[in-house]
Amino acid sequence: MKNVLLILIVFLALSFLFWQTDQLAYLISPQNLTGGPFFVPSITNEELSSKYQNAGTDTGKIKILIVPGHEPNLGGTEFGRLVERDLAVDLANEISESFSADRHFSVMLARDKEKWNVEIESYFNRHKEEIQKWREDHKNEMNRLVLLGLIDRVVEIEHSSAPKNAALRLYGITKWANENDIDIILHVHFNDYPRKNLSRPGLYEGFTIYVPEGQYSNSDVSQKIGRTIFDRLSYISSASNLPEENGGFVPDQELIAIGRFNTADSASVLVEYGYIYEKPLGTTETRNLIFEEYAKQTYLGLKDYFEPGGRNKKELALS
C-alpha cells in the first residue's frame, strides 16, 4: 500500500512539474517573448509622412477621427450652464472646419450633441461581444508581459473610472478606428478636478495633452504629434499648473481613449483644452473666439508635425 501511495505521489509531482514546465515554455517561447504588438510600431512617422506627401493620389488622405469627449447627453464635467460634453462638440466642429479646406486631410466626427456617428453606432451594436473579448485579450496580454517583466506598469495619474457602457464604447471607437485605417484620433475634452465647492472656480488653469506612454505601439508618432500641438497651443494658453499633470504633457498607460492595454494602432492624442471654469469659456462671444484659436492652433500643430520648419511657422497666433 505504501508503494502504491509513493508511486501516486511521485506521479502527481511529475505531472505538476511537467505542467509548470509547459506553462513556462509557453510564457518564454520566442513567439511570446516578442510581446506581440507591444514591441512592434503600429504606425510610423515615415508611413504618415509618405501618405501626407502623396495625399490625393492612390494612397489617399490622412484620415483623422475627432472624438468629442464623453457621450451624447451623458458624462463630463459641468460648471453652471457649461456642459463639457456639449462644449467638446462645439470645439470639435471648429477643429474639423480648420482641416476641411486642406487637401491632405479627411476628417470624421465621432458624434454630435444628440447621437453617435451612424457608422460608429452601428459598429457598437453589431460587435459588442467582439469588442468585449478583444479588450479582455489585450488586458490579459498586458498583464502577462508585466508579469514577465517585459513591460513596466506606469501610473502617472489616477483617473476616474468610466461607466461600463461608456468605457466599452471607447474601446469600440479604438477597434473601429484600427479596422478602418484611421491615421490619427484626436479626443477633445475640458478639464476639472475634485474640490469642495464645484460651483466656484478652482485653483488650476491651462491645457493638458495626454499621449500613449512610451512602451505602447503607437507612442512614438502620438508623442511627436502631441508635442507639436502642445507647442502651438502654448502660443495662446498656458499649460496646466495642476502638479500631477507634469507641465501639461502627460504620457499615459491608463486612458482608454488613447489606447489602454496597447489597443490603439492609430496615433492617439487627448487634449484637455482648459478648465471648464476658466473665464474665456464664460460668455458666448469670448468662447467662440477662443474656440477659433484652439482649432487654428491644433490644425497648425499637426501641420508642423508634417512640415517641420515649414511655412506654417510664419503663422502668428491670434492673427
Side-chain angles (χ1 to χ4, degrees):
M1 183 66 181
K2 288 183 178 179
N3 290 338
V4 173
L5 183 59
L6 181 59
I7 292 171
L8 180 60
I9 291 172
V10 170
F11 173 78
L12 291 174
L14 288 173
S15 297
F16 179 75
L17 178 62
F18 289 144
W19 180 82
Q20 290 282 60
T21 302
D22 184 61
Q23 291 294 101
L24 182 61
Y26 168 75
L27 286 173
I28 65 174
S29 66
Q31 179 180 356
N32 287 308
L33 276 177
T34 63
F38 284 78
F39 297 119
V40 179
S42 58
I43 186 169
T44 68
N45 298 294
E46 293 74 20
E47 290 169 350
L48 272 189
S49 177
S50 176
K51 191 171 184 180
Y52 179 84
Q53 295 299 329
N54 293 288
T57 65
D58 291 341
T59 59
K61 299 181 178 183
I62 299 292
K63 296 169 70 174
I64 302 174
L65 176 66
I66 301 177
V67 185
H70 307 287
E71 308 239 311
N73 305 309
L74 180 67
T77 189
E78 299 184 16
F79 183 74
R81 296 181 179 180
L82 300 177
V83 178
E84 180 192 5
R85 60 182 176 271
D86 291 340
L87 293 179
V89 171
D90 292 337
L91 178 52
N93 286 330
E94 286 283 350
I95 295 171
S96 178
E97 288 183 13
S98 293
F99 283 98
S100 62
D102 192 317
R103 67 176 180 82
H104 296 92
F105 302 108
S106 172
V107 182
M108 175 178 173
L109 289 167
R111 70 171 181 89
D112 58 26
K113 293 180 182 179
E114 303 298 328
K115 61 186 181 305
W116 290 100
N117 177 286
V118 173
E119 187 173 351
I120 292 176
E121 178 71 25
S122 175
Y123 187 84
F124 292 155
N125 295 334
R126 290 185 291 112
H127 297 282
K128 183 176 181 179
E129 292 183 2
E130 182 183 329
I131 295 167
Q132 289 174 323
K133 183 180 185 305
W134 174 80
R135 179 245 184 213
E136 285 302 310
D137 288 345
H138 276 268
K139 179 182 178 180
N140 292 338
E141 177 70 353
M142 178 78 173
N143 289 338
R144 184 182 72 83
L145 293 169
V146 170
L147 181 64
L148 286 172
L150 298 174
I151 290 291
D152 294 325
R153 183 82 71 184
V154 179
V155 181
E156 294 286 348
I157 296 178
E158 296 288 346
H159 300 287
S160 301
S161 298
K164 184 177 180 180
N165 287 335
L168 187 63
R169 277 189 282 272
L170 277 174
Y171 283 111
I173 288 171
T174 299
K175 191 171 187 295
W176 178 89
N178 291 349
E179 294 172 7
N180 286 273
D181 299 321
I182 298 297
D183 297 299
I184 300 166
I185 307 176
L186 176 67
H187 293 265
V188 177
H189 285 254
F190 292 89
N191 218 339
D192 205 351
Y193 70 99
R195 57 191 187 280
K196 287 184 179 180
N197 189 349
L198 292 175
S199 66
R200 298 181 63 84
L203 299 175
Y204 303 108
E205 61 184 9
F207 70 92
T208 304
I209 292 182
Y210 285 87
V211 292
E213 191 269 332
Q215 297 170 94
Y216 281 179
S217 296
N218 66 337
S219 63
D220 183 43
V221 176
S222 300
Q223 291 195 20
K224 285 183 169 64
I225 290 173
R227 276 293 177 191
T228 57
I229 294 175
F230 180 94
D231 290 344
R232 280 290 179 171
L233 290 176
S234 295
Y235 293 160
I236 60 169
S237 180
S238 60
S240 173
N241 57 0
L242 180 70
E244 294 87 346
E245 292 187 320
N246 299 323
F249 191 86
V250 186
D252 190 278
Q253 280 189 358
E254 297 297 305
L255 281 175
I256 300 170
I258 55 176
R260 190 182 189 190
F261 306 133
N262 197 56
T263 47
D265 294 340
S266 310
S268 301
V269 177
L270 185 149
V271 185
E272 301 269 10
Y273 279 88
Y275 286 80
I276 194 167
Y277 50 74
E278 290 186 54
K279 286 185 178 180
L281 300 181
T283 67
T284 301
E285 183 179 3
T286 57
R287 187 163 61 248
N288 289 342
L289 289 173
I290 195 64
F291 278 13
E292 288 178 11
E293 280 302 318
Y294 283 154
K296 175 183 176 181
Q297 300 309 323
T298 301
Y299 165 74
L300 290 175
L302 192 56
K303 292 289 283 188
D304 289 343
Y305 166 79
F306 286 108
E307 300 178 17
R311 59 182 176 82
N312 305 301
K313 291 296 184 181
K314 299 177 183 178
E315 294 270 3
L316 297 176
L318 297 171
S319 59

